Amino acid sequence: MKESLIVIGNGMAGMKALEELLMRVPDKYDVTVFGDEPHVNYNRIMLSPVLAGEKSFEDIIINDRKWYEDNNVTLYTSEKIIGIRRSEKIVVSEKGRELRYDVLWLATGSKPILLPLPGNDLPGVLTFRDMGDVDQMLAASKKYRDAVVIGGGLLGLEAAHGLNLNGMNVTILHKADWLMERQLDESAGYLLKSELEERGMTIYTGADTKSILGGERVESVRLVDGTEIEADLVVMAVGIYPNTELAQRAELECGRGIKVNDMLQTSDPSIYAIGECAEHRGVTYGLVSPLYEMGRVLAANMSGGENKYKGSVTFTKLKVSGVDVFSAGSIEEGPEVEDLVFRDARKGRYKRLVISEGRLAGAVLYGDVDDGPWYFQLIKDRNRIDDIREHIIFGQSLAVGADSTDPLAAVSALSEDAEICGCNGVCKGEIINSIKKNGLTSVDDVRSYTKASASCGSCTGLVRQILKLTLGDSFEAPESTPMCGCTDYSHEDVRHLILLKELKVIPQVMQELEWKTPNGCSKCRPALNFYLLCAFPGEYVDDNQSRFINERVHANIQKDGTYSVVPRMWGGLTTAKQLRAIADVVEKFEIPTVKITGGQRIDMLGVKKEDLPAVWKDLNDAGMVSEHAYGKALRTVKTCVGSEWCRFGTQASMSMGIDLEKLTWGSWMPHKFKMAVSGCPRNCAEATIKDFGIVAVDSGWEIYVGGNGGMKVRASDFLCKAETKEEVEEYCQAFIQLYREEAHYLERTAPWIERVGLRHITDQIVNDKDKRERLAGKFRFSQQFVQKDPWSERASGGVDIHEYSALAKIG
C-alpha cells in the first residue's frame, strides 16, 4: 500500500519538490495537493510580465490540470487547510474535508506586508502577491488614472512598470535613499531611478508614508513631510513574511518561519516545510532559486537519499523590460572588503565587484548583465581569484583569456551547478544531462524537459550554447520559423520566392506558396503587403485592408476610441504660422490634450475619428503633412540646434536633420524607424539610441545604427565616419534599403542587426561601395512613389472616406 503524502500549498516550491519526487519514485506515494487559489500551479515570479501585458496567465502556467491527472495527483484548488491534528496525522480543510497523511509537506509560502497606515483598508489599496492582485490592478488601470506604489524594491518596481505600461500615472514611494537598496548600491540605484523616470514614472526616495486618504475609495497618499499625492490605486509592495499561521496552530516550532533542519524536517518528523514559509539556520528566503534547491533536497530524501540542505546564495534580476540589473552576494562596504568599479557613462553601464579575502563576495551589474551567471558562480564557488583579478571587472571573456575567440568558451567554463535559468532554477548540469538522456536537439526540447528558458526567455542564448557544447557538430542551428500558422515558409523563404516567382499580389502569393488558410491572418497579411511594396515599388498597389488600424486611418487610436494626430515638423523645427494653425485646430475641434513628444513634435490627442479629415485639411492649409507617427515608417528626425546656434556645435545638425527627413519621409519599413542628428559629441539629440544616428565631430560625422529606446533599450553600434553631407545621405539611404530588404516584418533595426551581425551590415554598406550605391539608388527609386501626403489624399481627395464615416445613425 502506498504511503499518503499531502502537500499544503500549490505554489512553486511545493510543486517543484513534487515534480522532482515523481521523477525519482513515481509510484511510491499517494499524493494530494491543497491550494488556496483557484488556479493550477503557475510561475509567480512571472506575474510582472502578465501585469505588463507581455505574457498571459496561460503563458506562466507551470503544470496544467492534465499534469496532475497524468501523475495521479489529487488537486483541491480554492480549498484552504485550517488545521492539522498531528496526533492523528490528519489535515482539516475549510470545507470540512479530513484526510490522513503519512508524510505532510508545508509549502504555505508567504504573505505580503500591509503597512499599518490609516486608510490601508480603503477600496483601491492592494498588495502584489498573486494572480488575483494582478487582475485587480489590470481592472483599475482601465478605469483610473493615478497609481501610487509604496515600495521601491524588486516587486514594487515591477508593479510600477506594469501599471505604467497600462497607461497609469505612476508614483513610487520608497523609504530608503535609493531604489532596491538591499540589492543595489547607491550608484546603480541612481541609474535605475533615472531610467524609470525617463519612462515617465515619478519617484520619491526617502519618502515616509504617513496615511492613505479617501472616502468610498482611496483618493491620495500623504507623506510625513506633508506632501500629498493623488491616487486612484495604491499598491503596497514593501515585503513579505513567512506564512506560519497553520504551523503555529499545529504547535510546530516557529521563529520568523517554520523551523527546519538540514533534511527540511520540522519539529515533527512527519512534517516537512519548504519554500518561503521555512526557516533554515535562522534564514528565510523569498527568491525562487533557494526554493527549488530545497525542493530537490526534499525529493531526494523522500525517495531514499540522504541529501542535506546547506543554505543558498542568491542573485536578483529585475524583470522590467529594457532595464538590465543583476545583483548577487554581499555588496556591503567595509574595511575588510575592496571594490572594483567600472563605469561607462555614455552607454549607461556600471559594474561593481566586491572582493573579500581574495574571493569574489558580491556583484552589482547595471546595463550589461551578460556576465552575471559567471560572477554568481564565482561567488558560490568561493575560490580565490588572484589569477584573474586584473581583468575580472571586464567580464569572463577577457578574464579567462583576451585572445579567446571561442564563442562557447564562456559557457564551457561554467560549472555543472551554475544556474542557467533563474526563473525555474535550472542548472547547466541538469540541462546537459537531459540533453544526453532524452536525446534533445533543440531549445524547445530543452524547455519541454527542464523548463529552462520557458519563462522570461532571457537565458535562451545560453541554452542554445549548451546544446551546441553538448552535441558538438551534430547540433544543427534551429530551422527557420514559419511566418505564421498559415504557411510553413519563413519570412526569408517568402521574400525570396516573391522575387524568384515574381509574385505581385497577395492572392497570388498565397496560391503559389500553398497558403493553408483562404485569406491569411493578421500576422501574414501586413507582412506580405510590406514585402510586396518593397519588392515592386511603383507597381504593387498597397492593400489598405492588410494594414493595422492605425495605418488604415493614418492616426493613432487611443484607449477611449479617439485618435491622436501628429503633424510633421522637419527636423523638429516649426514656425509661428504652424503653431498658430495647430492652436486654431485644437480650439476648433475641442481637442482635449496637446503634448510635446519625445521626438520633438506636437501630438494632439483626443480627436474624434469623424473629425480627422477636417483636422488634416486645416493642418495641410498651414503647410503641414502627416508625421507617420502611427506607421511602420520613418517617424522623426530629432536634432539639436548644432552649430547654427550652439556655441559648442561643430556641424549644422538642424539642416542635416531637415534634409534627411525630407529625403526619407513616407518610406514604409518593417517597423517604426527613428533618426537623430547631434551637432557635437555631447549628443544632445540622443542620436546613439536611434535606428540611424549621426553625431557631428570636427572632421565630419560619425554614423551609428541599430539603437532604440522603448521596451528594451539598446545603444547603437558605430558604423563608420563620413566627411560630407552627401556621404551621410548615401549611407542613410543604403542602410534603410538594406533594412527594408532583409528584416522581418515587425523587426526593428536592433534585433535585425543582432540577428545578422554588424559585420554583415558593414560588409554591405561600408566595405562594398558598389553595393552601397545600388542600395541607395533602389531606395531613391522607391521614394518617388510614396512621398505623397496621406492626409491630403483623404482630406481633399476623398480617398478611403468610408473609414471616417458612420455606417448608419441609429436613434
Side-chain angles (χ1 to χ4, degrees), residues 116 246 251 363 383 577 587 644 659 758 806:
L246 181 63
E251 298 184 344
N383 294 328
K577 178 184 177 184
E587 289 185 349
E644 288 103 321
D659 289 345
L758 181 64

Side-chain angles (χ1 to χ4, degrees), residues 322-504:
V323 181
D324 293 323
V325 177
F326 178 94
S327 172
S330 170
I331 60 169
E332 294 293 323
E333 296 181 4
E336 304 300 324
V337 302
E338 56 179 323
D339 293 325
L340 297 178
V341 175
F342 171 82
R343 298 176 193 268
D344 184 339
R346 182 177 161 187
K347 294 188 175 181
R349 294 175 179 173
Y350 172 79
K351 282 185 181 181
R352 174 174 162 237
L353 303 180
V354 180
I355 297 173
S356 174
E357 299 178 345
R359 298 173 176 82
L360 187 62
V364 176
L365 312 179
Y366 186 95
D368 179 2
V369 299
D370 290 348
D371 286 306
W374 181 60
Y375 289 132
F376 182 57
Q377 193 61 39
L378 292 174
I379 294 168
K380 288 175 68 176
D381 290 346
R382 296 284 299 148
N383 294 328
R384 294 192 68 85
I385 58 168
D386 307 280
D387 55 338
I388 59 173
R389 187 186 182 288
E390 188 175 351
H391 295 109
I392 188 172
I393 193 69
F394 301 110
Q396 185 180 10
S397 59
L398 277 175
V400 300
D403 295 330
S404 174
T405 57
D406 181 0
L408 301 178
V411 73
S412 178
L414 293 175
S415 66
E416 295 278 301
D417 61 350
E419 189 168 82
I420 301 300
C421 177
C423 296
N424 293 296
V426 186
C427 298
K428 174 184 167 185
E430 188 178 346
I431 296 173
I432 291 174
N433 291 337
S434 190
I435 292 170
K436 292 177 178 176
K437 179 181 176 184
N438 302 300
L440 311 185
T441 59
S442 70
V443 173
D444 285 341
D445 288 345
V446 174
R447 283 187 190 130
S448 177
Y449 275 85
T450 69
K451 293 188 172 62
S453 88
S455 293
C456 75
S458 61
C459 61
T460 300
L462 278 174
V463 171
R464 188 171 289 122
Q465 287 181 338
I466 293 172
L467 272 163
K468 174 68 176 171
L469 189 70
T470 308
L471 299 177
D473 292 339
S474 63
F475 174 70
E476 295 182 4
E479 295 181 1
S480 52
T481 304
M483 279 180 63
C484 64
C486 301
T487 178
D488 293 329
Y489 287 113
S490 67
H491 287 268
E492 289 87 352
D493 293 336
V494 170
R495 300 196 76 164
H496 172 71
L497 291 170
I498 282 174
L499 293 172
L500 184 69
K501 294 174 177 282
E502 295 193 353
L503 310 176
K504 297 187 177 180

Side-chain angles (χ1 to χ4, degrees), residues 152-183:
L154 192 66
L155 207 57
L157 297 184
E158 291 178 359
H161 170 65
L163 293 170
N164 183 245
L165 287 183
N166 278 285
M168 297 197 80
N169 300 325
V170 178
T171 301
I172 300 170
L173 306 178
H174 192 53
K175 194 170 183 178
D177 291 335
W178 63 86
L179 299 174
M180 291 180 67
E181 80 284 357
R182 294 177 63 185
Q183 293 89 15

